[in-house]
Every structure is written in structure tokens, then in C-alpha cells.
Amino acid sequence: MNYPLPNQSKKYFRSIGELENSPEFDQFLQREFPTAASEFPEGVSRRRWIQLMGASLAFGGASGCRYNREQFAEFASKPEGRVAGVPQYFTTNFEWAGRAVHVLAKCLEGRPIKLDGNAQHPIYAQSVTSEHNDGKEAKFESAGTDTFTQAAVLSLYDPDRLGSVLHRESKRGDFESSDDDQVADWTSFTAFAAEQAKSFEASKGKGLAIVFEPSSSPSWHRWLADTKAKFPEAAFVEYESVYRRNQSKAINASGGGKASSFYRLDKAKVIVSVDDNLLGSDPNSVVYARQFAMNRGPSEKQMNRLYAIESQYSITGAAADFRLAIKSSQAGLFLDRLEALIDAGKTIEGSKDEKPYNELIWQEKLDRTLQTIATDLLANKGNSLLTVGAHQEVDVQQTAIRINAKLGNFGKTWILLDIPNASQEIDTIRLDDFVHLALGTTESGKAAPAFKTAWLLVPNPVFTLAGDIALSGALENIPSVVYAADTDDETAQLADWVVPAAHPLEAWGDVRAVDGTYGVGQPQIESLRGGKSLLEIGLILSGATDVSSTQYVRNTATEIAGGSLSDRQWKEILHAGFLASSAAKPAEVKIATDKPTITAVPGAEAVKATTIDLGSDSVDELNLEIVVHPSDSVYDGRFANNGWLQELPQPITKLTWDNAAIMSIRTARKLGLKQGELVHLTQGEASVRLPVFVVPGHAEGSIAINVGYGRSRAGSVGGAVRSPKDTFTVGTNLASLRRWNQHSILTGVSAKGTSIPYKLSTTQDHFAIDDEGGMREIAARAPQLVREGTLEEFSKAKTFAKMHLHHEDSMWKEPAIDQHHAWGMTIDLNKCIGCNACVVACQAENNVPIVGKEQVSRGREMHWLRIDRYFQCDYDVTEDKGDFRDPIDPKIVQQPMACAHCETAPCEQVCPVAATVHTEEGINAMAYNRCIGTRYCANNCPYKVRRFNYFNFNQQYGYFYGWNDNREKANAKLQQLVLNPEVTVRGRGVMEKCTYCIQRVQNGKIKARATGDGLVHDGDIRTACQDACASQAIVFGDLNDKTSRVYAMQHDPRAYGLLEDLNIKPRTLYLARVRNVPRRLMTYDQINPQWNTSPDRHGSHDHSHGETGHDNSHEEAKANS
Amino acid sequence: MASITYSNPREIDNTVDVPGRRSTLVTGNQTFSSVTEMVCRVAEAPQPTIWYVLFGFSSLTALMFVSLIGYLILTGVGIWGNMNPVFWAWPIVNFVFWVGIGHAGTLISAILFIFRQNWRTSINRAAEAMTIFAVICAAIYPGIHVGRAWLAFWMFPYPSLNLWMWPQFRSPLLWDVFAVGTYASVSLLFWYMGMVPDIATYRDRSKTPLRRFLYGLLSLGWTGSSRHWLRYEKAYTILAALAAPLVLSVHTVVSFDFAVSQVPGWHTTIFPPYFVAGAIFSGFAMVMTLLVPVRSIYKLENLITLRHLDNMNKIILATGSLVGLAYATEFFIAWYSQNMFESFAFMNRAFGPYWWAYWTMVSCNVISPQLFWFKKCRTSPIIMVIISIFVNIGMWFERFVITVTSLSRDFLPSSWGYYRPTMYDGLMFFGSFGVFLTLFLLFCRFLPVIAISEIKGILSIEAHREAHSHDHH
């Protein structure tokens, strides 16, 4: 048996292969989920590491973003301005899967440990909220990031990354043959590439195929264009693992040409998101979340309104003011009906005595929703936006474009840009054509295989590509395959030259932001595992070795800057992270509003009668729909070896380390399926088996699945081959059910239960449909925990969220607070969309370990910050119908929950050794080395935000419950480099929890004393979660500073403390959520809010369903007032 | 050597109450010498086979317990099933269970002594021993339950020179340290002091120099002089007076661990009396479980008579009913308070995911002791042993229900969880029984299981006189 990790870099790393054929090695592979990320080959001491890094810094003049080139020796003399232990910040840009990321990297002793958004970047800076854009408060604007960006640093230190060039002579294929792995080096690869380039130059590139991912990088575009010029006959294959091109195709078809598009949600008063997770999985979700949050003030003048029409409950649906669940395959029909209403141009105002929305039957609900949306859109021409998910077909996209064009939204809320792209003129072929050409299969029969050589410059296509395309067969048919690999993955098995690709933080590169702004990516660290960037590899392959990637990027920058770029200007670009005023010009195009005549669109009446019928009886067992989404955690599988992302609770489901078939309760019941049961989903020939996960509010008859799981060669975290017969994977591989990736919505699916249980690890109890008592209680409590009202209610009574409390005297004396500072936090639930970025940011900042699937199932996850998710339903209606296990029109509310730093903290009272105490500034602090681990504090914490180290999660974790294992200790070395040295790494047996990022507070005070006027100004200190929050929902600051934003927010009428009736006086307050629901779509409860008249939510109702169902447990809802 | 008269206790039914006459507490016309002989035989005669069987089994179990503690300390408390939000689970359940069992001893020896309940004399020694051993089992748990067991001593208020700090005195856990510590030391002292005259008897009857030396050392030079007796009686009374309040205080303080916190289902004022009643309940049940076999194996039926057992069963019936009343009161208050969290906590106990634990508790604790209304059940050793074992099961479940169900669903539904124990939870609970039984068997083997000198004080006048004429004792 063996494990195909390369035996390379003998100088620095002892190969893991030395452990081969030993039982220990076997066990080593079986440890499913080790410490922070994964393994590091034994034998690199921290000291050796520092030496290595020192050398890298010294000799890595090419990476000269940090120090001037002349500082080449060891730090015998300190570089100017550099203080050991003081972090340095550098801007950079990078991209993955075509998404540009603009970050500010925090580097400590030459290693990047934290990424945050570059707040100065125009794409973020343009979104300044109307509430506080008076300049003074501009510095509050942290840019925000998404989860993937936060977790990128962990991938950087992943020891499973490929560490050398591999040359597989006896070609690839199965597991056995990898015995023939030959470790080669860059010299031999370069020689090989030069030879190939020469021969292709002679043949004009005939027989060469270049497979690449769509990119926004101008240098990459330039390289493509250069390569095309050099090898004109070569085939250029553009492959996107998650296909998003339908929209640009539709724009093109509607007369928009090749313009790229970009939304301005901040300019939109009405946003309709049709099957589009605009705030969640959209590549620009960070920008959109910022723009969306800008008008969530709330005030009647500026508050926007978001409608979400979708099948799977997404965070956009949770954030929406109104949500309707329909099948994804019916989105087009929904839009057709909407278009008909817009064309009719009639606004429909409901009558006063209409039934409330929740009392309607399904057809009426649908009609009323369509009418209301149409009316709203018509009333906000030019101020509205209707978007459609990227996975919807071109004709659906076109309908959406037409509607927007009719509403006059183009150029206002929907911007079309003319971003220059040097590679635009290259004709690309699709991957399926590439496969056919490579195999030599044509429609007429057999032809000669077309390719001699393929360059795979795209991450792991063999895994991400669907099951219906024989890419692996095609690759076997090509004599020479070069693959730029992150790890020795599924695709690398089929390539004869595998070259290590650098992490984006290790390489030079450039990007265009979504608005066209040009930015340069500079390496933050010398390549750790000897990889090279795609651009570098591309330059080697195309024989352009005379120019370094640095120079190449600089040449591109010079070109974009208008032909000349001085050293000073170049440094300015590097410093700022972007080239000022390089944003693209709006495209001069005209969008057609007429329907294409060729496609017959079903009439609105016909649609109403036949297809859109989603009543409870419409689940057709043999004609289900499957919607394939990329995973919110591991995307298309490329982040499978990233423990932070694997353990990140997926939004809504809170599932970790797994994918599942997500469906509604009624659908599951109809199909005879139970939560956690394995189900066979079959469409035609293809079939997969995966566990059922029920979520209320999912569209009936629709099943959502996430790809990216079930990798067999991701690494020690995300899946590996242990022996020829034993492969461990995380989750289920859905390849066989995926179609050639232009189709994400599959219909005609049948489902068959197996009654085999499967253990799913969730961080929040899954929706326990077998426990009505619990569900009833949650339904009663949720409105008090996450308070919300409608905009109408808010404008009548601003203090609707305040509860009438009997303020009793406290037994406890509040700890004395320093006169200078009183730190506090507020979280605006009206802005929070539950995107999880703060959760990973906290993990990265505070060295929070991961614990693995088994420990998560034991409830031992360590996240200091979590996002609580509650389903809300109309209590009375549900009470009448008597089933809390299947709520009607459930709404989701989310609440980020971390230590609230109570003034009279219940945890402090009960600690026998005074390990958790108040600081003078009001922070509830943990003295880790005083803690003996009685866990009493955690019991007494009503928020359950304390986390206990049941094992040495940060050191080792593995088989036999973490029995001390020397190998594990050695392996922890590389991943330890990701740790933040400013935060203690907690050992076994101690309690830990949110500290309000006390290290940042201290740094802020030190900085103020050392360099400022001695005073900490509002906004100088930001917590990690605040920095990561794209929607600016989290605000931290000094409550003693009456001018601070946090002070103002704590005195907002919407402010409330969670469980404040316990009299524990939390420092973290929440601002109640305000839903801007149109009157006609309000439920009875929303029309007749109870908050401001009586403290109890379900008091004296006397409407039609008020009389029944007020039993004891209903009374309980009143009790807590 | 005086002869021992064994009479079938069934023939002399001393459980009948005849008005105007005191029932005898020692049957079979015992004399001073026959009492001495009967008790000393337990330690002097070769042990019956069953002793060796039990000892072999229990000492191996105790060894397993010790090894598991070693594994626990090397690995981490994660080997148990504790989780978020059930941060306290079996180890704390076991702690409260053992502390509760440790209650009967001091109640019998101190409170019944002060109230001049003479029937205590036959059972107090064994009950006190049981108390000590139960407290030892109990004290192990908080020590190993903490995440860093090697630092558990930080809970003691010792003058630490490098920290310059005391423990945090507002924590009920610290109160526990004092309460259990005081209880253990006073109980130990009381037990040992009461044993001094009897150990002297053992010393006098020793046949080997080693035994004579060791018993001599332990008997503190007791000669049986009047002066010794005078001081002994005074000291014993004073210690009894000191120990009496501890009966109430220990479990009151243990209940504060729960009652002082704010977890719904823990935060209730009924806990102190309810815990004390429960503790006496479980303690008496454990005494019953142990003494019925001991009495039969060592042929002590004339000293531990049916009347003693009958009396104890009456106490079990009374405290069992008290516990039942407490359960009902909790439910009433949960409804009456109209506190949402409180109401839910109790509904959840009875009808939530842990309903099985709750109803096990109710049937064992409230229903099974009701059989003791029938005299037949109160005087049948088999039935009373079975019921007492049920009571102990029920009392363990009571602590489980309080600790685990309350924690598993508290304020925020997002943090609700379902606790499952691991193999280690089970093995370590089992192992603590090994420690307990090992110590008790050693006690039977080497120390007087019945207070010889005190029994002699309550022999009837006739027997007394007869004894004088024969033995000049």
C-alpha cells in the first residue's frame, strides 16, 4: 500500500512516504480529522522553519513586497520600520474560480495570518451607507469578506499541498500505478516544456489543447492572447466548474454584446431575487451584501425591500422581507407571469378587508405575490432590480433582462460595463467538445484523436466535471498531459506532468474587480511548497521564460495605466491594492425589450392552470426536481482539505462535514423518508445515495444537493485513499448525477428510501420533526429571542422590540468599571444576513481549533461565534392546525451569538477559582492558566457560548481519543504557522470563549498611546467579526464615548438584550429586525402586532382563530414577560 | 468462652408493639459475653467463601476504576459523553448519588443518638462505615471531573505563594469543598471515636502479636476505666451534637450547586429540603441493601433484628413520600410561577426526550416504597432488599434527571442537545461500586461491624443481671 504523497524536497521535509508500509502509517491515514488543518511531514522544527523563512525573505527579492531588495542577509541589521512582533499589512488581490478578492493581509514575521477586505478599494469604498457617510465615520467601513477568503490562509499552510513536480512515466490511472511516481524538478519540467513549445511553434500549435478557468486577470488574458498568437491552431478550452455564463449569453442575445454586468443594490428600493442567492453564493456576494445593508436603516424613506422567490431556503431568502418557495424549474414560468403583469402595467391595490396572506390557499398566495411584486416594481421604475440565479437557463435570464429593461433599470441598478479583455477574441471550445475531439468520437463515427498535448490549468476537472462526460478517458487518450495541481488529486492521477500550483498568496498576479478596477496581487510569502502560479506555469509552457511573472504583471499594469508606469506609481498600486480610476466605462448598449419570436412562451393563463401548482398535494414521487448547488463550504470541492470550511456550519442547515439531499418536510413525508435516512435519487441511468435533510420552507417536490463532497484525494482532512480497498471521503460524491455543467436543474428524478440511518453532524439541532413539544416551545420562544416587526409597526412605535420588564433589584453588585473605557457591541439583526464570514474570521483570529465530524456530533464544536437560526411561523395558525412540526410559510431569523459580556456575568459567580473575571473595562475575561475546567460557568451561561477543550484539540486529535502520538505532534508544525501569536493557544481541560478580541483592544490602546494622541477613537478598534462583516451589522466600541457609534446603537429604540429578564445585563445588544413587508403580503400577526400594546406576543387575540388552541403551552408563551 | 444462644428471630417477633411494654431490641436472651462473642466472631472466624468471591470481584473492579482514572487524566475528559450544553453529566450524577448515600450514617449515629432512639445501636456502626466509604467514592468524582485534574487542589483555600489569591468564595462548588470536607472529617472522627472501646475488645481478644499491636495502636490505650467511659460519653455526645447539623448542611450545599445557578430546572428553592430528604432516603436504602445480607451471612439476626429493619423501612417510606411530594411541588410551582422557561423545563422532564429517565425515577422512588405500608413487606428481607435496590436506582435517576435534562434544553433552543453517555461513563460508575464494596468488605473483615459496647447498654435487665452473675464482666 502506499499513499501518493510525493517524496520530494529532501532538504527540508522528510517524506511521509518513509512511514509507508508500516501499521503506524496506516493508522496515521485513518485519523480522519486531525488538528487545525492537516498534516505536516515530520522533521521541520520551528527553528528550521524560521531559518527557511528567513532565507526565503532574504533571497526572495522577487517577492519584494515587504522589504527592499538590498536587504538580503539575515536580520543582523533590522530593516527600517520593522519591529518584531508588530504585524504588517499589505494589500493584495487574488482570484479563484473567477472571483476577484481584494484584501489586506496581516503578516507577522513574514507569514500572512489573516485576510480582511481592502476597505480602500473602490468597489467597497463606493458603498458608504447613507447613515454615516459624513467622512468622520468613514473609517468604520471595514470592507468585509466571505468565508472562503477568511479560510484562505489555512489552505496556504496545508501540508497536503503538492510539494514538487511529478513526472509519471507509466501513465497514471489507478491507484496501483502511482508506484511509478517520479519526483522531478522544475529544471526538467522547464526543459520538457521548452522542447514542447518549440515543436508546437513549428506546428502552429496543432494538437495542443489548453484548458483554463475563466478569469478576470488581465495578465492571464494577455498570456492567452500571446499564446494564441504563438500557437494559432491550438484549442482553447474554457471550463467553469460551476457554470455562470448563462447570464452573459442572455445579455448578448438581448443586444448587450459582451458587456459584463454588475448590480447596484444600494440604488434599488425593490429587489426581487428569483432563485438567486444574491447575498450568499453569488461571486460578488460581499459587495452585494454591503450594498443591500446600506438601505436597511431602517426608516420609511430609505429602507429597501427584498423579495426572494426560491426553492432552497438560502440566506437571501432568510434575509428577505418576503419569501415564496417555488421549484427552481418553475422560475421561468413565474417570470413569464410577472412579465405579463408588468406589460399590463396595472397596479393592484388590495382592499382593506382582504384576508391576511397566511389565510389564503396556495393559488391565491401565488397570485397575490405576483400582483404585489408587479405593483411594487411598476411603482419603482429605475429603482428596482430583478435578478435570476446563474444556474437558470438562458431564456429565463432573458425574461429577467427584459423585465429590467422595461422597468428602465439598466444603467441604474443594473450596470453593464465594457471591461477590456485581451483574450475576448479567442474562440474557445467547450469541454465536452474537447473530450469528443480527444477521444476521436464524432457524430459520423470515429476520427483520429485530435490532441497530442493538453495543458490543464484548472483545478481538478476530473473531480468537478459531471459524470456524463468521459474526461478521464479523454485524458488517457492524450499522450502528454500537464496539470497544475494544488494537491496530488483526482486529476493529477491522470496527468504525466503534475506541477505544483502556488497559493494565490504566494504569487504575482492581477485582477479586475467587478467594476473593472485593476489591482495587482503581490506575494505575501515565498512559495512554501515550491509551487508556481498559473501565470508562471503558463509562461514556462508557452516558452516565454525570458520574462518573469513579476515583470509580466508589471507590463500589464503599465499597459493598463496608459503605457508608462514609474517605479513610484507601481509602488502606489501595490500599496493601495488597486490602480486608481481604472474602473471600466459603462457599455454603450441597448437592451431589447421585445420577446424573441421564435420561442413560444406559454400564456399566463395556461401557466396558472397547469404548471405552477405547488399545493401540498403536488409532490409527484416520480417527477421530482433536483437543484445542484456548489457547496457553501467547499465550493466545487477545491476547499475540501480546509478544516475551517469543512467544519463551518452551512447556512440554514447548520450541517458540517457533509452534504445531504435537502427537502421540505411534506415532501419527505410524501416520499416516506426520514431525516438522516439514506435515499437513492435516480434520474435515468444515474443514481446517487445520500442522506435526507429536512428544512421547513423548502419548495415542495424539490431537492437541493451540494457538490464538492466525496473527494477521494483531497488530503488528510478532505478525503484520501488509505489502501486500495479503503477510501475515506467527506460526504458523498454526486458526480454521477451531475450533467455536463450547463444544467443544474434536473427534473424527472425519482427518490427511493433505504431505511439505512446515516449520522449527520449539525451544530444546531436539526429540525426535529419527531419532537412536537420541542418545536412548539421553539415557536413560542423564537419571537422573543430574535425580535422583529414590520416597517409599518416600527414607524408607529419605534420601541416595538422593548419588552415590559419587571426590573428587579439585582443581588449582585456590578463590577467597578474603569472611567476610561467600557467596551460593548451591538449587532443589527436587520443587516445581518447570516453569511458565516464572522464565524471563520473569529476562528482565524483567535486560533479556534476544529474538532472533526465525530466531535461535532457530540456537540463539542469550538466556534466562539455562532449564528443561531430559528424558524418562525404564525403561532396561532399553526396552533389551530395543530402541527408545529410542519410550520406554514416558515420564516427564518438568524442571530450571531457570542459571549455577551454581561455586567453581572453568571459565569463569574460560579467559578470556584476565579478564572473568569471582569476586566476594569467591562470585558468578561478568561484567565486560561487559572482555569481548572469545572465547566460550571458553561452550565450557568444562558447563552451557551462557552466552549470547552475536551481534548487537546489544538495539538492532536485522532484515533483512540487523542492518545499522545509523536507523529501528530510533529505534524502540527506547519499548520501551527497559521496561528495568531497574539492569542493564547488553549490546551486541554480549559474553558474558552469570545473575548471581544481583547488582543485587538490592547493593541488599539497601545497604538493610541505610542503613536496617536493617547486616546482611542471610535473605530480604531474593530473586532475580527466586525472586520469580516460585509453588511456592517456588527459594531464594537466604547460605551463611555457618547459620540461612538456603538453608544448610539445601544440607545436605538430597536436595541434589546437577549434574555434580559434574567437581569444579567449583557453588553452585547441586538437591534431588532424590521421586515419591510408589503401590506398585502402580511400575515395576521404582522398586521396586528402585539408587541407595543402588551408585553406578551400572543395575548388577547380575538380573531377567527384566536379562540381555539389557547391551551397551556400557549400560555407558556406569555409567561416570560 | 461464653456460649451464644441463637434463636430464630422469626420466633420472637419483636416488631409487635405491645402498649406499655418496650419491645426488646436484642433477641435470643443475649448476655454481654454472647454479644461480644457474636460480633467478634465476624472478624475472628475465617471468612465465608462468599466474602472471598465478593472481595475478588470488587477489588478487580476497583482496580479497573483506578486504571480508568489514569486513562482519563492522560487523555482528557472528552472520553466521557459530556458535551455542549450538557457540561455536567454522569460524573456529577454519580457524585451527588454517592454523597446522598453517605447521609444515612450520620443521621443514624448523630440524630437518632440525640433523640435517644436506642434501636440505632445495632446499625449505626455499619451505617457510619458506609457513609465514610460513600463519601470517599463521592469525593473522587469532583476531583477527576475537572478538565485539569492535576490542578484540582486550587479549589482549596491554601496560601499560594506564587498566586497570592484565594478561591472565589461565591461559587457553590467551593462551598461544596467545605461542606463535603467537613462532613467527611466529622463523620470519620465520630465513627472512629465510637469504635475505640470495641477495638479495645478486639485487641484484648487478639491472638497474634501483630493484630494486638495494631488494634492496640488504634484503641488509643483504652482500658475501660470509669474515667475513660465518662470522657468517652461526653465526647461522643458533643460530636453527635456537632454532626447533627451536618446531616442537613451537606446535601443542602450540594443542592446549592444546582439551586444557585440559573438553569431552568435547577434554580428552585425547594432543592435543599428535597435533596436532604432524598439523601436520607437513598442512604437508608443503601444501609438496607448492605445490612440484610451482612446480618444473614454473619448470623447477626439477634442483634440486627426485624424490628430494626422495620424501623428503617418506615423511614424509607416516609422519606420516599416526601420525595414524591417534592416532585409534585416542583410541577405545581413550575405551573404556578408562569415562568416560560421553568414550565418548559418540567414539561420537558416528563414528556421530552428523557421521559424514560423521569418515569424510571418516579416508579422507583415514589411507587415502590409504597409497598412498605404493608407490614409483610416491611418485615420480609427479600422484598426489602429488592425495594431498597429499586430506591437506589431511582435516586440515581433522580440526579440524572435533574442534571442532564435541565442542561440539555435550557434558554436558547439553538443550543439544545441530547446527551449520550459513553462506555467510560458506565465503566467508571460501575468501578466506583467496586471501591465502595472493597472498603466495606475490608471493614467487615477487620473492624467491629456492630457497636458492641453500645448494644450492651440496651440489653434487657434480666439479661443484664444474668450476665453479671456469670461473667463478672
Side-chain angles (χ1 to χ4, degrees), chain A residues 296-298 794 798 800-801 828 830 1052-1056 1070-1072 1074:
Chain A
R296 299 298 285 182
F794 174 69
K798 300 262 187 270
F800 72 96
D828 189 344
N830 210 32
D1052 188 284
R1054 287 188 293 137
Y1056 72 94
Y1070 294 89
L1071 299 191
V1074 174

Side-chain angles (χ1 to χ4, degrees), chain A residues 104-328:
Chain A
L104 191 63
K106 176 183 181 183
C107 297
L108 251 160
E109 317 307 330
R111 57 192 167 92
I113 57 165
K114 183 84 171 56
L115 301 181
D116 276 306
N118 177 5
Q120 307 302 318
H121 195 282
I123 195 78
Y124 301 127
Q126 71 179 359
S127 351
V128 174
T129 80
S130 48
E131 296 162 90
H132 35 77
N133 56 355
D134 52 348
K136 179 190 148 229
E137 292 180 295
K139 66 180 167 183
F140 278 113
E141 309 293 333
S142 47
T145 44
D146 58 9
T147 53
F148 302 111
T149 310
Q150 287 296 335
V153 281
L154 185 64
S155 292
L156 173 65
Y157 299 108
D158 181 356
D160 286 338
R161 282 168 61 207
L162 187 60
S164 75
V165 179
L166 298 182
H167 181 38
R168 289 187 171 136
E169 276 177 351
S170 79
K171 191 150 152 179
R172 54 220 193 186
D174 56 1
F175 187 67
E176 305 294 334
S177 69
S178 46
D179 274 347
D180 304 325
D181 281 4
Q182 298 235 332
V183 175
D185 52 25
W186 282 104
T187 325
S188 55
F189 174 70
T190 314
F192 159 81
E195 202 179 298
Q196 275 223 323
K198 204 176 283 171
S199 76
F200 279 124
E201 221 161 339
S203 67
K204 291 193 179 298
K206 193 153 182 61
L208 171 66
I210 303 168
V211 186
F212 60 96
E213 217 172 16
S215 164
S216 74
S217 161
S219 291
W220 183 253
H221 294 156
R222 209 157 67 83
W223 177 80
L224 285 173
D226 288 356
T227 310
K228 177 76 179 175
K230 208 166 178 182
F231 310 131
E233 302 274 299
F236 285 80
V237 188
E238 194 174 49
Y239 170 63
E240 200 176 4
S241 62
V242 178
Y243 192 74
R244 312 196 66 95
R245 275 301 164 87
N246 285 336
Q247 193 188 57
S248 35
K249 282 185 185 168
I251 290 174
N252 196 3
S254 308
K258 294 204 167 177
S260 32
S261 72
F262 171 45
Y263 305 138
R264 291 298 300 261
L265 304 190
D266 50 335
K267 302 264 170 80
K269 286 211 75 168
V270 175
I271 304 158
V272 184
S273 158
V274 179
D275 211 28
D276 187 10
N277 193 356
L278 201 55
L279 307 177
S281 55
D282 192 281
N284 303 317
S285 59
V286 173
V287 178
Y288 293 158
R290 285 173 69 84
Q291 295 176 348
F292 170 70
M294 260 184 247
N295 298 325
R296 299 298 285 182
S299 76
E300 272 176 286
K301 256 178 272 158
Q302 55 140 335
M303 190 169 171
N304 59 13
R305 177 177 289 163
L306 172 64
Y307 296 92
I309 317 295
E310 59 182 10
S311 58
Q312 185 188 5
Y313 225 130
S314 70
I315 62 169
T316 310
D321 297 300
F322 176 81
R323 176 184 182 272
L324 178 77
I326 63 166
K327 280 185 182 180
S328 290

Side-chain angles (χ1 to χ4, degrees), chain B residues 26-78:
Chain B
V26 177
T27 57
N29 293 325
Q30 302 302 333
T31 61
F32 282 177
S33 63
S34 71
V35 168
T36 310
E37 190 64 23
M38 224 185 297
V39 178
C40 292
R41 267 177 58 97
V42 173
E44 288 167 358
Q47 292 296 320
T49 324
I50 182 101
W51 189 92
Y52 288 101
V53 173
L54 284 177
F55 186 75
F57 174 72
S58 63
S59 55
L60 282 177
T61 314
L63 198 65
M64 175 195 74
F65 186 47
V66 175
S67 335
L68 284 177
I69 292 176
Y71 175 57
L72 172 88
I73 290 173
L74 282 172
T75 312
V77 289

Side-chain angles (χ1 to χ4, degrees), chain A residues 654 762-768 771 773-786 866-871 893 895 897 942-944 1058-1059, chain B residues 84-85 264 340-341 344 407-418:
Chain A
K654 303 292 165 194
T762 52
T763 57
Q764 194 173 335
D765 246 2
H766 58 75
F767 196 79
D771 173 26
M775 289 301 107
R776 184 182 286 274
E777 182 67 15
I778 294 172
R781 279 188 198 179
Q784 303 189 13
L785 303 176
V786 185
R866 58 170 202 260
I867 311 244
D868 284 352
R869 172 269 291 132
Y870 301 105
F871 292 97
V893 285
Q895 184 171 41
M897 193 69 238
Y943 306 123
K944 290 287 171 285
L1058 191 59
L1059 299 173
Chain B
N84 314 352
M340 178 189 204
F341 300 115
F344 178 72
L407 285 176
S408 72
R409 291 186 161 185
D410 71 341
F411 296 99
L412 295 190
S414 66
S415 301
W416 289 358
Y418 188 82

Side-chain angles (χ1 to χ4, degrees), chain A residues 149 171 285 288 293 364 404 455 499 593 699 706 710 857 889 908 1066 1074:
Chain A
T149 310
K171 191 150 152 179
S285 59
Y288 293 158
E364 292 170 342
N404 279 297
W455 299 346
V499 294
T593 53
N706 289 333
S857 75
D889 291 332
E908 291 173 16
V1074 174

Side-chain angles (χ1 to χ4, degrees), chain B residues 190-307:
Chain B
F190 198 37
W191 177 57
Y192 174 61
M193 229 206 74
M195 255 189 321
V196 166
D198 294 348
I199 293 176
T201 309
Y202 269 41
R203 174 197 63 197
D204 296 346
R205 293 168 60 103
S206 295
K207 296 202 173 74
T208 62
L210 181 64
R211 289 186 84 135
R212 197 178 301 129
F213 172 72
L214 289 174
Y215 283 126
L217 207 61
L218 287 172
S219 60
L220 305 173
W222 178 269
T223 60
S225 72
S226 299
R227 186 170 294 194
H228 279 179
W229 276 111
L230 184 71
R231 290 183 179 155
Y232 169 83
E233 295 285 354
K234 272 187 182 162
Y236 197 78
T237 313
I238 289 170
L239 270 179
L242 279 176
L246 292 181
V247 177
L248 303 177
S249 73
V250 186
H251 232 52
T252 300
V253 171
V254 169
S255 80
F256 284 168
D257 285 349
F258 303 98
V260 169
S261 83
Q262 58 177 353
V263 179
W266 284 13
H267 184 63
T268 52
T269 45
I270 198 178
F271 265 16
Y274 160 32
F275 266 54
V276 170
I280 293 166
F281 183 48
S282 67
F284 268 80
M286 189 54 103
V287 172
M288 190 67 76
T289 316
L290 289 175
L291 279 193
V292 172
V294 163
R295 153 185 193 266
S296 141
I297 291 167
Y298 292 116
K299 305 223 176 331
L300 297 170
E301 287 98 335
N302 282 317
L303 298 180
I304 304 170
T305 65
L306 277 181
R307 188 175 182 85

Side-chain angles (χ1 to χ4, degrees), chain A residues 268-433:
Chain A
K269 286 211 75 168
V270 175
I271 304 158
V272 184
S273 158
V274 179
D275 211 28
D276 187 10
N277 193 356
L278 201 55
L279 307 177
S281 55
D282 192 281
N284 303 317
S285 59
V286 173
V287 178
Y288 293 158
R290 285 173 69 84
Q291 295 176 348
F292 170 70
M294 260 184 247
N295 298 325
R296 299 298 285 182
S299 76
E300 272 176 286
K301 256 178 272 158
Q302 55 140 335
M303 190 169 171
N304 59 13
R305 177 177 289 163
L306 172 64
Y307 296 92
I309 317 295
E310 59 182 10
S311 58
Q312 185 188 5
Y313 225 130
S314 70
I315 62 169
T316 310
D321 297 300
F322 176 81
R323 176 184 182 272
L324 178 77
I326 63 166
K327 280 185 182 180
S328 290
S329 51
Q330 288 170 333
L333 299 164
F334 181 89
L335 284 179
D336 288 338
R337 284 192 62 187
L338 187 62
E339 190 182 14
L341 287 169
I342 301 255
D343 287 342
K346 264 204 309 224
T347 58
I348 302 159
E349 300 297 337
S351 59
K352 278 277 172 204
D353 48 352
E354 269 184 334
K355 276 196 208 168
Y357 179 77
N358 57 331
E359 290 170 16
L360 301 177
I361 60 161
W362 165 254
Q363 284 298 341
E364 292 170 342
K365 282 184 180 174
L366 183 65
D367 289 343
R368 198 184 278 183
T369 306
L370 279 163
Q371 288 168 4
T372 315
I373 292 178
T375 307
D376 227 356
L377 287 175
L378 286 168
N380 288 286
K381 284 189 171 182
N383 286 327
S384 56
L385 179 67
L386 183 137
T387 71
V388 167
H391 56 282
Q392 291 284 350
E393 300 294 331
V394 177
D395 57 333
V396 180
Q397 304 279 354
Q398 276 187 276
T399 315
I401 290 169
R402 279 199 308 276
I403 293 176
N404 279 297
K406 285 169 186 168
L407 294 168
N409 291 337
F410 281 98
K412 289 173 179 153
T413 57
W414 189 331
I415 313 287
L416 292 175
L417 294 168
D418 218 354
I419 298 180
N421 179 346
S423 67
Q424 219 159 27
E425 302 309 319
I426 300 175
D427 288 326
T428 56
I429 64 169
R430 303 190 333 176
L431 195 70
D432 51 345
D433 295 332

